[in-house]
Amino acid sequence: EFRRFSLERSKPGKFEEFYGLLQHVHKIPNVDVLVGYTDIHGDLLPINNDDNYHKAVSTANPLLRIFIQRKEDADYSAFGTDTMTRKKNVLSNVLRPDNHKKKPHIVISMPQDFRPVSSIIDVDILPETHRRVRLYKYGTDKPLGFYIRDGSSVRVTPHGLEKVPGIFISRLVPGGLAQSTGLLAVNDEVLEVNGIEVSGKSLDQVTDMMIANSRNLIITVRPANQRNNVVRNSRTSGSSGQSTESSLPSSTPNILANFLQGEEESDEEDIIIEDSGEPQQIPKAAPTSESLESLTQIELLHESTQNGFLPSSEMNLNHSAGSVSMEYEVQDPDHKSLEEDGTIITL
Amino acid sequence: MRRFLRPGHDPVRERLKRDLFQFNKTVEHGFPHQPSALGYSPFLRLMAIGTRSGAIKLYGAPGVEFMGLHEENNTVMQIHFIPDQCQLVTLLDDNSLHLWSLKQHSGASELREEHRFTLKGPPGSPPSATQITAVLPHSSREVLYLGTESGNIFVVELPSFRVLEDRTITSEAVLQRVPEDYCNRRSCELVEALREHPKNPDQILIGYSRGLIVLWDLQNNKVTHHFLGSQQLENLYWQRDGSKFISCHYDGSYTQWPVSSDNRQPEPLENLVPYGPFPCKAISKIYWQTTKNGLPYIIFQGGMPRASYGDRHSISVVHGSQQTAFDFTSRVIDFFIIFSSEPTAEFDDPSAMVVLAEEELVVIDLKTAGWPAVHPPYLASLHCSAITCSHHVSNIPLKLWERIISAGSKQNIHYSNMPWPIDGGTNVAPDPPQRDLLLTGHEDGTVRFWDASGVCLHLLYKLSTVRVFLTDADPNDNMNTLGEDEWPPLRKVGTFDPYSDDPRLGIQKIYLCKYSGYLAVAGTAGQVLVMELNDEDAEHVVDHAEADLLQDQEGYRWKGHEKLKTRDGPVRFEAGFQPFVLVQCQPPAVVTSLALHSEWKLVAFGTSHGFGLFDHQQKRLVFVKCTLHPSDQLALEGPLSRVKSLKKSLRQSFRRIRRSRVSSRKRRGGSGNASEVQEANAKFDQDALQEMELAPVQRKIEARSAEDSFTGFVRTLYFADTFLRDSSRHCPSLWAGTNGGTVYAFCLRVPPAERRMDEPVRAEQAKEIQLMHRAPVVGILVLDGRSTPLPEPLEVAHDLSKSPDMQGSHQLLVVSEEQFKVFTLPKVSSKLKLKLTALEGCRVRKVTVANFGSCKTDDYSENDLAVLTNLGDIQIISLPFLKLQIRYPCIRKEDVSGIASCVFTKYGQGFYLISPSEFERFSLSTKWLVEPRCIVDMPEVTSNNHMHNKSGIENAARKS
């Protein structure tokens, strides 16, 4: 079934409204559907939130081709990079789903159900021999799952090679977050924790720093295995050349900034129960000029690492969705445990 | 103010910081750890103590003290003052000699090392040839005589330490005229003692270890007298007139020898084994002191019957028919006698005996009948029972101060009234700015009150909580009660007693209100005692209440120690702090936090299970709150049994063994539980050891979760009158912070004073804050509308503080081990934070608000946070903007007990234990500085200076 209608490009509205419009146009008000579109590279990409909807509208040239599937028999694998060129005919896949019974794909959930667990960041500013890994402990039940140890590494100094003490990853817990990302390995040397160099710090200090940052841990390592390093051919290609976002640099910082802001906020929000009511996150006080200064000073280090953030791992396809689900997850476990404590005893 | 807040380097603020903050380690209080040598100068009236770590400390009149440290950190073996000089020589165990002098510098004397020297023998000679065993500083002040293992005596010039080879006294020269048969039996061996003739500086007495003693004439370089001792020699002592000397021996005997010009090889006058006839231990040092009445004092160390009393550390004083063997609590390092050093005086007339034992200094008054002990003004044995906690109270009102002193003086009646006999030097330090008390809690259930105002940490009063409880210790079990005809006549002296009868008595938390005289003390077995200062003895019943902190939590079984049994009926208490109520926490876990509000008459206490509030006016429990996480099994099982250190459990088991040995006649029973715990501990320690071997240095990186162990452990309690519910009405409140990063706030309703006894105090939970980083909360503080910390209870009522600003909005400061956070009140919203651990990798161990005054202007002062981290650094953080001001390294990070013992004062000073027996005092403030400042003047040297003081020169020449 094909429908054709017009939208005002400058005021596309919200995704919710657009979704409602689609359901209305197709007369399927109670059917859950997946919405997708083909971008300028011919990739079939999902539309499921305001951001990617706006992007889809802004890139329409001039026609925006939209595909709608029922959610229950959707072919998730149809989405993604190169889908339109790799497959001979995406439409045949979409329209004749019985083709897939012969070659079953692994069903993975939609990006909105994902949450990032790790990412490699700052690829453009770090030496190729280093890797900066961000672990999102937030919202996952998995333990961080790694151990560190003292060791020594060899540095090139003006006086030749020198042996200096260093901190190394000594063990990964099977099934832990660190192991499951595949980005950290035993004997990787830890160089920085959340932007702060570990050289000169003791094992216990580095342990405390990592635990203090455990909700948003960014570790810079020198991988023991240097063969999997990201190779940069040129500045223009960016670190993750395949990403569609690289061709649309204008929209990227915006999304990232929002995402990071949200992340930082939720990381810090303590919970308050007033008069044994419902647990709530503690809001930030309206910052006075002094407190703002101090906050910016304290958080400067985080921001400096975050500005160069460029997603390259396939696990962080959709940042804003991830952030929403994380915030939700946070509240949940605490909610339960705290409610039990609400009783007041007066003797 | 505003301009000081800008980040970065504001030059105005930087200048102000220099006027406010300054780090100094000012003085060490207490008793030196591992003393190894003692010296005394009757000329300067100064005493010197050397330690195994190479420290040397000089003490004179109270407030006069000096410290020096040998670079080598080797054990100090001997200390000798140079006669009539402000100089001393130390001998270390690496055979090096060091010359120290006291020199005046900008109005105060300083102790400095001037020279060092190691005696070198001819090439190829064995090291023993130059191994120094005895040192004699000659009264000419020009030379030192050095006796060696080889038997040779070298002479070195002072202060250059140049060896005068032509004056060396070789053993060959000494043996020339010794009878053949004696010589064959024993060669000279090492030089045991060197003593100058008290009247004739040209003669020195040389004692060799095999027993030979010779009098050597320095002018003619020859032996004038031979004394053929038959026993191995330990030490020598001249009588004042030089007509006789006395030698003491390895077999526990001493011998008197006459010295006269007509007999060059005299026979001994008297040979005596004072504690014979059975084999005795060596007498290692002896004094012979003459008196006007003719009866001499003979004072000697050791000599006890080997089999029955060989383990005693004794010094015996014999004066006519009086004889007492002072029995010390630890090994005697050395001792000296203070006697008349006037050269014109005919007799010694000893006045006091000063004994340096391994764990304490004991001074005995020899002039007063019964020879009572003298209360030392310094060198207190802080560790007479192990210190378990400390609490500092600044600026004590005079009234309370006098009452405490008066209570303490009633306890000290058995001490001598003699003024402190070691009184050299002049204290020129300004008087302490205020009266400060340091309270130390001890393992044996006592609290000691120390005058911490000045350089001398002085015991004012000792409080024991033991009387409230029934303990195993039999109160009538007194070691001193010996029968009349008991032999040897032992008398126990000293206070050092590290063995606690019951570790449950240990004091864990102390809180003193200096305005009301209320004191709260909490201990290891969950006991909380509230006390009141009473100037009279009293007999009364201690009220008793239980606080069940587990409430209706089910299925938990406490496997730790039982609560202490209380005495029924009235108990007699001496004047001082007398307990009137006991709150017993159930389970009887160690009390981990304590707060007292003397105005509201409330006491709050917390353990690893929860916290409670007790109204000590109505003697009624107001509420309890269980903070335990349901899954936290560990907290329930015992007194932190599984996190106990190996060292601690070893110490405990040692103590148990010792206790059972000492008191085998005491009744047994109730030990089953203890041995079980011990077994479990041993197993745990073994497991921990194995784990350590498998993974030597590996650290797990894991976020904290609500399920972690000991999250319910209450770390801090705080009373505040603030805006908890709404911004129009403030009310009393109680705040509690836990190990799991939770802060509880309870709104309290305290009835007005006139109905205080009629209406109950009510409490209602108003807030609960969960810090998402879940680090332990170590401090809670409310800042008033001017961002000033709220005053202490009753501080305003006594006109000692401005009343807090109740107009502006209050702020809540929560300090966790990792972060500092400021929240608004009454609506809790986060305002500011400082993430210490995330940035620096260090954790907060101690935090206090301290007031810093400017050293330049009297009218400027500010409040800041003084913070000690787990790395031993001290940081000063500004209030209310949480800016790091300055950082000083203070304690080595490996010194865990030092860091744990640190206590800050309200005016930017602090104390921490550098050893079990010593507090280091430090200052962060430019204004409040307590440090020794003293002058030692050379007393007038009389014309006949050669005669002067000679007899009094302490030659502590003996092997350790």
Side-chain angles (χ1 to χ4, degrees):
Chain A
E1 270 186 73
F2 295 92
R3 297 283 190 279
R4 185 169 182 146
F5 55 92
S6 65
L7 274 176
E8 200 171 329
R9 190 188 289 261
S10 56
K11 277 189 272 176
K14 293 214 175 291
F15 170 70
E16 291 286 315
E17 297 162 20
F18 178 66
Y19 189 77
L21 180 67
L22 289 179
Q23 286 180 320
H24 176 71
V25 166
H26 288 273
K27 299 193 177 66
I28 44 167
N30 294 317
V31 180
D32 285 338
V33 293
L34 292 182
V35 185
Y37 75 105
T38 51
D39 77 341
I40 47 169
H41 303 281
D43 297 342
L44 179 61
L45 298 174
I47 301 181
N48 49 17
N49 59 29
D50 287 352
D51 289 326
N52 52 22
Y53 167 54
H54 290 168
K55 196 152 98 185
V57 172
S58 63
T59 54
N61 192 19
L63 213 60
L64 179 65
R65 185 167 297 194
I66 291 187
F67 302 92
I68 298 174
Q69 291 173 266
R70 262 177 213 276
K71 216 167 196 170
E72 46 266 36
D73 48 33
D75 173 18
Y76 297 101
S77 65
F79 290 101
T81 305
D82 289 344
T83 40
M84 294 310 268
T85 44
R86 195 178 62 230
K87 306 262 165 73
K88 285 171 212 146
N89 183 354
V90 143
L91 278 180
S92 68
N93 285 334
V94 176
L95 298 174
R96 281 177 282 141
D98 35 10
N99 280 2
H100 288 276
K101 282 168 187 161
K102 291 163 195 166
K103 37 175 182 176
H105 282 256
I106 300 159
V107 175
I108 55 169
S109 58
M110 278 300 292
Q112 68 196 12
D113 301 329
F114 292 172
R115 52 182 171 244
V117 292
S118 67
S119 52
I120 298 181
I121 59 173
D122 293 345
V123 181
D124 52 340
I125 56 168
L126 283 177
E128 284 179 11
T129 53
H130 296 184
R131 180 187 295 164
R132 188 165 289 168
V133 177
R134 184 168 187 165
L135 295 176
Y136 301 85
K137 163 71 181 136
Y138 227 61
T140 141
D141 297 332
K142 274 189 186 173
L144 282 171
F146 67 101
Y147 290 73
I148 56 173
R149 64 168 170 87
D150 278 317
S152 61
S153 74
V154 177
R155 291 278 153 78
V156 185
T157 67
H159 320 288
L161 292 179
E162 249 179 41
K163 229 177 175 187
V164 292
I167 304 287
F168 295 84
I169 293 176
S170 60
R171 193 176 138 211
L172 298 178
V173 177
L177 193 57
Q179 193 218 34
S180 64
T181 64
L183 301 177
L184 297 173
V186 170
N187 294 333
D188 285 1
E189 184 183 358
V190 177
L191 303 171
E192 290 175 4
V193 176
N194 288 52
I196 295 167
E197 280 193 43
V198 304
S199 73
K201 292 202 156 63
S202 69
L203 183 65
D204 288 328
Q205 264 176 292
V206 177
T207 306
D208 284 338
M209 284 168 70
M210 286 187 172
I211 291 173
N213 286 305
S214 59
R215 291 180 175 269
N216 177 26
L217 184 59
I218 299 166
I219 317 176
T220 309
V221 293
R222 188 208 315 273
N225 178 357
Q226 290 280 342
R227 278 173 298 179
N228 297 334
N229 291 344
V230 178
V231 180
R232 278 174 304 196
N233 299 324
S234 66
R235 278 264 153 214
T236 47
S237 70
S239 54
S240 46
Q242 302 176 315
S243 168
T244 52
E245 282 160 341
S246 62
S247 58
L248 291 164
S250 60
S251 65
T252 314
N254 226 344
I255 296 170
L256 282 174
N258 286 341
F259 161 59
L260 292 171
Q261 190 62 38
E263 166 79 15
E264 184 62 31
E265 295 277 307
S266 58
D267 163 43
E268 277 313 313
E269 271 171 27
D270 304 322
I271 286 173
I272 175 123
I273 305 172
E274 300 264 3
D275 294 330
S276 50
E278 289 296 302
Q280 286 171 347
Q281 292 192 341
I282 295 178
K284 261 209 176 94
T288 60
S289 57
E290 301 93 36
S291 63
L292 194 65
E293 274 166 13
S294 124
L295 281 176
T296 44
Q297 194 194 17
I298 291 159
E299 275 152 26
L300 211 68
L301 282 159
H302 295 293
E303 265 151 47
S304 67
T305 63
Q306 285 152 1
N307 286 340
F309 178 93
L310 270 179
S312 60
S313 160
E314 56 178 351
M315 295 184 193
N316 51 7
L317 276 177
N318 194 313
H319 305 281
S320 15
S323 134
V324 168
S325 77
M326 275 188 288
E327 275 172 9
Y328 175 75
E329 288 279 331
V330 180
Q331 283 193 331
D332 206 16
D334 294 313
H335 191 102
K336 275 183 222 153
S337 62
L338 290 176
E339 263 181 347
E340 299 171 351
D341 294 335
T343 40
I344 291 155
I345 287 88
T346 314
L347 293 171
Chain B
M1 269 303 271
R2 199 153 284 257
R3 65 201 153 116
F4 299 144
L5 309 171
R6 239 169 277 136
H9 293 277
D10 180 339
V12 179
R13 179 65 193 166
E14 290 302 311
R15 217 173 305 135
L16 181 57
K17 271 157 69 170
R18 278 199 296 277
D19 296 344
L20 292 170
F21 312 125
Q22 182 187 31
F23 181 73
N24 281 300
K25 292 189 180 178
T26 56
V27 60
E28 289 170 8
H29 294 307
F31 185 78
H33 187 50
Q34 297 183 319
S36 57
L38 176 70
Y40 177 66
S41 164
F43 172 68
L44 300 172
R45 302 185 72 85
L46 288 180
M47 166 177 68
I49 294 177
T51 72
R52 278 210 240 166
S53 51
I56 169 159
K57 295 177 166 197
L58 268 60
Y59 297 89
V64 176
E65 49 181 90
F66 301 94
M67 194 192 144
L69 189 64
H70 293 91
E71 240 170 64
E72 294 85 349
N73 289 335
N74 279 29
T75 300
V76 180
M77 303 297 286
Q78 297 183 23
I79 302 174
H80 302 273
F81 282 90
I82 310 295
D84 305 343
Q85 295 286 308
C86 287
Q87 284 184 319
L88 62 152
V89 170
T90 55
L91 171 68
L92 303 194
D93 69 349
D94 64 354
N95 204 35
S96 63
L97 286 165
H98 302 253
L99 179 69
W100 296 78
S101 2
L102 283 166
K103 288 211 167 140
Q104 289 194 19
H105 185 261
S106 61
S109 296
E110 286 174 9
L111 181 65
R112 290 220 196 106
E113 188 180 344
E114 303 261 297
H115 289 286
R116 65 187 63 192
F117 166 72
T118 305
L119 188 62
K120 295 235 167 50
S125 61
S128 68
T130 53
Q131 184 71 45
I132 299 167
T133 53
V135 179
L136 171 67
H138 194 254
S139 60
S140 65
R141 290 170 261 152
E142 282 154 8
V143 288
L144 280 183
Y145 292 92
L146 306 174
T148 61
E149 266 183 23
S150 63
N152 294 334
I153 296 159
F154 295 89
V155 187
V156 293
E157 200 176 55
L158 278 178
S160 63
F161 282 124
R162 194 167 59 88
V163 180
L164 305 171
E165 283 181 22
D166 54 325
R167 289 170 69 176
T168 302
I169 304 166
T170 60
S171 49
E172 290 78 22
V174 168
L175 287 174
Q176 266 172 13
R177 287 173 51 205
V178 172
E180 199 68 21
D181 57 333
Y182 185 86
C183 215
N184 285 347
R185 272 193 289 129
R186 41 195 92 226
S187 65
C188 274
E189 286 283 324
L190 59 86
V191 178
E192 200 68 64
L194 288 171
R195 300 281 163 170
E196 188 178 321
H197 191 286
K199 300 286 179 193
N200 181 0
D202 291 331
Q203 290 190 327
I204 59 171
L205 197 60
I206 306 168
Y208 295 92
S209 64
R210 286 290 170 93
L212 175 67
I213 305 160
V214 299
L215 189 62
W216 180 266
D217 185 59
L218 294 171
Q219 289 292 330
N220 305 314
N221 268 327
K222 64 176 175 73
V223 175
T224 60
H225 293 69
H226 286 95
F227 307 92
L228 309 177
S230 57
Q231 278 298 332
Q232 198 166 325
L233 184 76
E234 286 284 321
N235 219 321
L236 295 170
Y237 192 82
W238 276 108
Q239 276 185 35
R240 193 179 180 94
D241 60 2
S243 66
K244 280 180 234 164
F245 72 88
I246 193 162
S247 63
C248 57
H249 303 276
Y250 183 76
D251 65 345
S253 65
Y254 65 82
T255 309
Q256 272 197 78
W257 304 85
V259 183
S260 62
S261 50
D262 47 306
N263 190 349
R264 299 287 167 181
Q265 199 176 308
E267 287 298 308
L269 284 174
E270 185 195 12
N271 188 5
L272 201 74
V273 183
Y275 294 110
F278 299 110
C280 289
K281 294 201 77 170
I283 293 179
S284 48
K285 189 168 180 177
I286 190 158
Y287 276 85
W288 181 285
Q289 301 273 286
T290 55
T291 62
K292 261 194 220 74
N293 67 16
L295 282 175
Y297 279 87
I298 301 161
I299 300 165
F300 58 90
Q301 176 189 350
M304 281 285 140
R306 199 170 274 280
S308 335
Y309 299 95
D311 58 342
R312 299 303 175 97
H313 316 289
S314 73
I315 294 179
S316 303
V317 180
V318 185
H319 178 59
S321 60
Q322 295 176 61
Q323 178 161 359
T324 300
F326 292 99
D327 185 7
F328 295 90
T329 55
S330 51
R331 193 168 63 89
V332 173
I333 303 296
D334 201 355
F335 74 105
F336 61 83
I337 306 295
I338 297 176
F339 52 88
S340 170
S341 58
E342 282 301 310
T344 51
E346 206 176 326
F347 302 102
D348 291 318
D349 282 326
S351 55
M353 172 168 79
V354 179
V355 182
L356 177 69
E358 200 156 34
E359 306 290 356
E360 63 186 328
L361 182 81
V362 177
V363 177
I364 304 290
D365 175 1
L366 295 176
K367 283 188 143 169
T368 308
W371 298 331
V374 184
H375 194 42
Y378 44 66
L379 286 165
S381 283
L382 298 170
H383 61 317
C384 41
S385 168
I387 293 180
T388 42
C389 67
S390 35
H391 175 71
H392 186 273
V393 192
S394 301
N395 214 353
I396 304 287
L398 183 62
K399 185 83 187 114
L400 177 69
W401 188 257
E402 285 170 344
R403 292 176 73 191
I404 291 172
I405 288 177
S406 133
S409 64
K410 286 174 195 156
Q411 297 178 326
N412 290 341
I413 40 172
H414 59 281
Y415 280 115
S416 160
N417 295 320
M418 175 191 245
W420 184 243
I422 303 163
D423 54 3
T426 317
N427 182 5
V428 293
D431 280 340
Q434 56 188 26
R435 290 171 295 273
D436 286 355
L437 264 186
L438 181 68
L439 279 68
T440 51
H442 297 262
E443 205 176 27
D444 62 354
T446 58
V447 178
R448 284 171 168 81
F449 289 61
W450 305 92
D451 174 2
S453 325
V455 171
C456 294
L457 193 73
H458 181 64
L459 182 67
L460 295 178
Y461 165 69
K462 182 179 124 181
L463 161 76
S464 176
T465 61
V466 181
R467 283 176 168 281
V468 181
F469 306 102
L470 279 171
T471 54
D472 288 346
D474 183 356
N476 298 323
D477 175 28
N478 195 338
M479 297 278 220
N480 290 348
T481 50
L482 289 167
E484 282 292 299
D485 47 351
E486 200 80 34
W487 189 260
L490 286 166
R491 188 170 114 201
K492 206 141 183 88
V493 282
T495 55
F496 178 71
D497 178 19
Y499 304 106
S500 165
D501 292 316
D502 190 338
R504 293 177 299 170
L505 289 166
I507 305 294
Q508 296 293 334
K509 295 283 161 191
I510 304 170
Y511 195 107
L512 172 70
C513 171
K514 62 183 177 186
Y515 303 110
S516 61
Y518 280 117
L519 172 71
V521 163
T524 305
Q527 73 272 33
V528 179
L529 285 162
V530 188
M531 314 192 194
E532 215 171 359
L533 189 52
N534 187 347
D535 299 325
E536 302 296 330
D537 287 16
E539 189 164 334
H540 59 81
V541 179
V542 178
D543 280 295
H544 189 179
E546 290 232 333
D548 178 14
L549 294 171
L550 285 182
Q551 295 171 346
D552 37 357
Q553 303 259 10
E554 298 224 339
Y556 292 145
R557 201 164 72 86
W558 172 250
K559 297 177 193 160
H561 50 229
E562 286 172 30
K563 67 171 187 181
L564 286 159
K565 287 196 183 70
T566 51
R567 260 174 222 281
D568 297 326
V571 184
R572 180 143 201 96
F573 296 102
E574 57 181 22
F577 287 92
Q578 298 173 347
F580 60 92
V581 68
L582 165 70
V583 185
Q584 177 62 54
C585 298
Q586 279 296 2
V590 75
V591 176
T592 56
S593 59
L594 181 72
L596 177 77
H597 200 292
S598 41
E599 197 171 347
W600 303 335
K601 308 263 194 287
L602 297 173
V603 62
F605 47 88
T607 72
S608 49
H609 303 102
F611 58 97
L613 181 68
F614 188 82
D615 173 358
H616 66 75
Q617 176 97 12
Q618 292 188 21
K619 297 182 180 148
R620 206 181 121 267
L621 192 64
V622 179
F623 77 92
V624 288
K625 165 88 182 169
C626 181
T627 53
L628 212 58
H629 194 274
S631 66
D632 189 358
Q633 282 298 327
L634 267 186
L636 287 155
E637 281 177 358
L640 307 185
S641 55
R642 298 185 51 191
V643 292
K644 202 182 290 169
S645 71
L646 177 64
K647 194 175 138 202
K648 207 167 172 182
S649 75
L650 274 178
R651 200 176 66 197
Q652 270 189 358
S653 49
F654 173 70
R655 187 179 297 133
R656 275 195 198 97
I657 292 165
R658 155 111 191 182
R659 198 155 20 117
S660 61
R661 211 188 287 152
V662 166
S663 59
S664 50
R665 64 201 145 98
K666 284 180 196 161
R667 67 192 159 86
R668 298 195 168 270
S671 63
N673 195 14
S675 65
E676 253 169 54
V677 170
Q678 202 177 325
E679 238 167 69
N681 282 341
K683 190 182 178 310
F684 174 73
D685 291 333
Q686 212 170 17
D687 292 351
L689 272 178
Q690 263 172 4
E691 199 173 298
M692 261 163 27
E693 274 160 28
L694 286 175
V697 271
Q698 186 170 252
R699 294 285 183 278
K700 189 179 184 182
I701 306 298
E702 207 47 77
R704 283 190 206 84
S705 83
E707 282 82 35
D708 283 354
S709 285
F710 300 113
T711 52
F713 194 113
V714 179
R715 291 288 293 264
T716 183
L717 289 162
Y718 177 65
F719 285 109
D721 185 3
T722 188
F723 300 94
L724 195 54
R725 283 271 169 72
D726 57 66
S727 49
S728 54
R729 279 176 304 135
H730 56 93
C731 66
S733 62
L734 172 66
W735 299 76
T738 71
N739 229 23
T742 312
V743 175
Y744 300 94
F746 280 74
C747 193
L748 309 178
R749 214 168 57 225
V750 183
E754 62 273 16
R755 297 197 299 276
R756 184 63 180 79
M757 281 309 283
D758 311 327
E759 292 177 20
V761 176
R762 295 196 185 279
E764 204 178 333
Q765 180 164 348
K767 290 187 198 308
E768 179 179 328
I769 299 170
Q770 175 62 55
L771 301 176
M772 286 316 285
H773 65 282
R774 294 189 186 282
V777 176
V778 293
I780 299 173
L781 186 68
V782 173
L783 307 174
D784 73 2
R786 289 184 293 260
S787 295
T788 307
L790 292 184
E792 281 175 67
L794 291 175
E795 201 175 342
V796 177
H798 284 71
D799 287 332
L800 288 156
S801 165
K802 272 197 290 187
S803 27
D805 181 357
M806 299 310 265
Q807 304 302 319
S809 53
H810 282 195
Q811 297 173 66
L812 170 71
L813 170 68
V814 177
V815 183
S816 78
E817 282 190 359
E818 294 185 352
Q819 298 188 7
F820 298 77
K821 293 193 133 183
V822 174
F823 300 96
T824 57
L825 284 175
K827 169 142 182 55
V828 176
S829 51
S830 66
K831 204 172 170 190
L832 267 179
K833 65 177 171 242
L834 174 62
K835 293 164 100 174
L836 189 70
T837 309
L839 292 173
E840 297 183 25
C842 57
R843 304 168 68 82
V844 178
R845 280 283 173 266
K846 304 273 168 171
V847 61
T848 291
V849 178
N851 186 272
F852 290 93
S854 164
C855 61
K856 293 271 169 67
T857 53
D858 276 341
D859 54 349
Y860 183 81
S861 74
E862 63 175 48
N863 289 308
D864 296 278
L865 291 174
V867 176
L868 176 74
T869 71
N870 64 334
L871 304 180
D873 287 347
I874 288 179
Q875 307 199 349
I876 297 174
I877 291 168
S878 72
L879 280 176
F881 300 112
L882 304 181
K883 295 264 171 56
L884 174 64
Q885 300 297 305
I886 209 151
R887 183 200 333 251
Y888 304 106
C890 179
I891 311 176
R892 281 180 311 111
K893 70 175 179 217
E894 296 80 14
D895 185 4
V896 182
S897 61
I899 292 172
S901 66
C902 179
V903 52
F904 286 110
T905 78
K906 291 221 151 44
Y907 295 94
Q909 302 213 349
F911 301 86
Y912 68 92
L913 289 172
I914 47 175
S915 72
S917 57
E918 283 167 292
F919 271 119
E920 172 82 58
R921 186 189 194 112
F922 61 86
S923 175
L924 303 167
S925 160
T926 52
K927 208 171 176 184
W928 304 92
L929 205 67
V930 173
E931 59 181 343
R933 193 175 163 78
C934 37
I935 294 182
V936 174
D937 279 319
M938 286 271 285
E940 281 293 306
V941 179
T942 46
S943 54
N944 57 342
N945 59 54
H946 274 298
M947 290 296 132
H948 183 92
N949 279 326
K950 198 156 314 131
S951 51
I953 283 154
E954 272 318 299
N955 195 338
R958 45 173 293 269
K959 290 179 294 175
S960 285

